[in-house]
Amino acid sequence: MFTVTKDKALQTTTTGALPRPSWYTENLRGQPLSKGFSQSAYREQHFDCLACHVAAQTKAGIDIFVDGDARLDDDVAGGSWVSYAHERVDGIANPDVSVQPYAAMAGKEPGDFIWEVIEARLTPTVDGPIGKTRLQLDRAWKAVAPFTDKPVKIGSVSAQLLSHMVQNGFYDDRVELMMALSEAFNSEYHALADAGAPIVQIEEPSIHQSSQVEGQEIDPSTYVEAFNIEVAGLREKTEVWCHTCWGSPGAQRMFDAGASYEQALPYLDQLDVDVLTLEGASNNGQDFELYGSMISKDKKIAIGAVSHRTLQIERPEEVAALIRKALEFIEPERLILSSDCGFGRQGGSRAHAFFKMVSLVRGANIVRRELGLDEVYVPAADPQLSMVPIGGE
């Protein structure tokens, strides 16, 4: 159900994760978010972090805010994106030591950065029926919502991805496990929507990445079925987004440069969502024409217009050029501008993330001006607020 983006063109946002401040030293380490909020040190640091994230997005002129995934722990290369979920699901036994690594190790070897990333993750085992979940995403949204009158998007790893990042010690096969997780996660998202969250974003259901690997045990149509179980009924309450990318741990691409969404798009188009987010900056918009022709008109498309993988901050003119390229194939009222993936997976600093957001909005304003659309005020780019006189004295 389009709410936030209804009748609006070229809105800006980011994927979700923002770099964690160095002074944010408290972690949940498996505790419920509500338990963290009951502890003075954690509560103070978490809420101060949210204030910083909101201030940065306000100063950059972003339209749709994120909470920066402030609830996630400071695990190696953003491992908490996954562990936050599996630590809070009945039926998953969380390990104290590493067990057999999961499939992401394939094709990697010691000396590879991704080998070390995956080696550092503690792979849990499903040792019983999947039961109650305690992600408390509704509390995460309620924590950030009072900081701003802008819409805030809350995101989470999908049940399908999580099913591939655990050892299956209970179900007959991984499909059965995936379906059980999908059903369990549905209640989390409904609690989030019922709390008033205007947008719910869920990570991709392994469709486009698995299309790059030979001999997959799960058919793409099964991923579609599982994802649609996970989001069942949500679009009656809120705007539902699905984020996809080619990997993000430590800002690393997990698949070969030039990998295309082409094989996956017919399946991604079947997902019961309002908005699909797809990479665009890291591959210079190579699939923009496919996005425009293969995604149904009842869906909006959020393209990555700045990259999370490079420390080089895009110039607004570069961002504008990429947006113009997208507009050759996607109507402006269907186009949303974002980052390829999150900035908070230990890939860059807070300054890099901030100035990439500023460039994103400044680039969008260039194109908005060309199209006769209202520009968005960017406090960070206001010469009247510069501490250095423009042009000298």
Side-chain angles (χ1 to χ4, degrees):
M1 176 178 64
F2 290 116
T3 52
V4 173
T5 66
K6 185 178 181 180
D7 301 325
K8 295 179 180 178
L10 305 187
Q11 287 183 291
T12 59
T13 188
T14 62
T15 298
L18 294 173
R20 184 183 175 102
S22 59
W23 45 257
Y24 189 179
T25 56
E26 292 292 315
N27 290 279
L28 290 171
R29 301 298 182 226
Q31 294 183 114
L33 184 58
S34 55
K35 180 67 177 296
F37 286 169
S38 74
Q39 299 167 357
S40 60
Y42 181 88
R43 184 184 183 93
E44 180 176 4
Q45 291 186 13
H46 184 106
F47 280 79
D48 285 355
C49 177
L50 291 176
C52 288
H53 289 336
V54 168
Q57 292 171 92
T58 300
K59 191 176 179 182
I62 293 290
D63 294 308
I64 300 170
F65 284 14
V66 296
D67 74 336
D69 291 344
R71 67 191 177 279
L72 303 187
D73 292 342
D74 61 354
D75 294 347
V76 172
S80 186
W81 175 243
V82 176
S83 64
Y84 181 88
H86 70 57
E87 289 170 349
R88 294 164 175 81
V89 179
D90 288 349
I92 300 180
N94 294 296
D96 295 320
V97 296
S98 287
V99 296
Q100 180 182 354
Y102 44 82
M105 282 294 219
K108 311 299 187 301
E109 58 186 9
D112 292 342
F113 176 72
I114 293 301
W115 179 279
E116 181 167 319
V117 168
I118 303 303
E119 188 179 53
R121 296 190 178 182
L122 304 178
T123 308
T125 298
V126 177
D127 62 356
I130 296 299
K132 184 178 180 180
T133 62
R134 297 175 299 280
L135 276 61
Q136 295 188 321
L137 300 178
D138 53 336
R139 287 179 182 261
W141 181 77
K142 288 180 178 180
V144 69
F147 283 95
T148 178
D149 58 1
K150 291 289 186 73
V152 181
K153 172 163 59 81
I154 300 290
S156 174
V157 65
S158 69
Q160 299 79 54
L161 275 179
L162 187 62
S163 73
H164 287 294
M165 296 180 177
V166 297
Q167 302 294 319
N168 179 18
F170 180 80
Y171 289 92
D172 290 340
D173 55 40
R174 201 163 291 275
V175 171
E176 187 179 359
L177 166 62
M178 182 170 66
M179 295 301 181
L181 283 167
S182 299
E183 291 177 3
F185 275 35
N186 180 256
S187 62
E188 285 285 350
Y189 302 128
H190 275 279
L192 175 57
D194 290 342
I199 298 176
V200 175
Q201 178 176 288
I202 301 166
E203 190 71 11
E204 50 90 8
S206 300
I207 293 172
H208 77 291
Q209 294 184 358
S210 65
S211 71
Q212 305 297 311
V213 182
E214 296 290 337
Q216 286 295 302
E217 61 177 320
I218 300 177
D219 185 86
S221 60
T222 304
Y223 286 124
V224 172
E225 179 186 358
F227 185 91
N228 287 344
I229 289 172
E230 187 171 1
V231 301
L234 277 179
R235 292 177 70 192
E236 299 171 8
K237 301 178 177 181
T238 189
E239 189 165 305
V240 181
W241 294 32
C242 173
H243 167 69
T244 79
C245 75
W246 293 107
S248 183
Q252 300 302 297
R253 186 185 180 100
M254 298 294 292
F255 294 84
D256 292 339
S260 173
Y261 283 93
E262 184 171 9
Q263 295 181 40
L265 285 173
Y267 299 100
L268 292 173
D269 192 46
Q270 297 174 42
L271 301 181
D272 189 15
V273 299
D274 300 294
V275 178
L276 282 171
T277 84
L278 305 147
E279 284 205 22
S282 298
N283 57 22
N284 195 33
Q286 69 172 27
D287 286 337
F288 283 172
E289 183 173 3
L290 300 178
Y291 301 164
S293 62
M294 299 179 70
I295 297 175
S296 299
K297 299 294 185 181
D298 63 344
K299 289 182 172 63
K300 292 200 175 195
I301 303 167
I303 62 162
V306 291
S307 174
H308 65 294
R309 295 197 183 93
T310 65
L311 298 183
Q312 183 66 37
I313 295 164
E314 296 86 348
R315 293 295 305 157
E317 295 78 13
E318 295 177 78
V319 175
L322 194 63
I323 296 170
R324 292 189 198 101
K325 185 174 183 178
L327 287 171
E328 294 177 20
F329 310 104
I330 305 167
E331 302 86 345
E333 62 272 14
R334 294 180 64 214
L335 188 61
I336 299 168
L337 309 171
S338 185
S339 54
D340 276 344
C341 195
F343 292 124
R345 303 284 183 263
Q346 295 183 348
S349 69
R350 292 172 67 188
H352 287 97
F354 171 69
F355 283 103
K356 280 177 176 280
M357 288 191 289
V358 173
S359 280
L360 176 66
V361 181
R362 291 176 68 194
N365 275 345
I366 293 172
V367 180
R368 288 164 174 157
R369 186 161 57 247
E370 293 169 351
L371 297 178
L373 301 174
D374 291 338
E375 296 180 47
V376 171
Y377 175 57
V378 183
D382 187 341
Q384 297 300 316
L385 301 180
S386 173
M387 290 181 284
V388 178
I390 303 300
E393 293 184 297

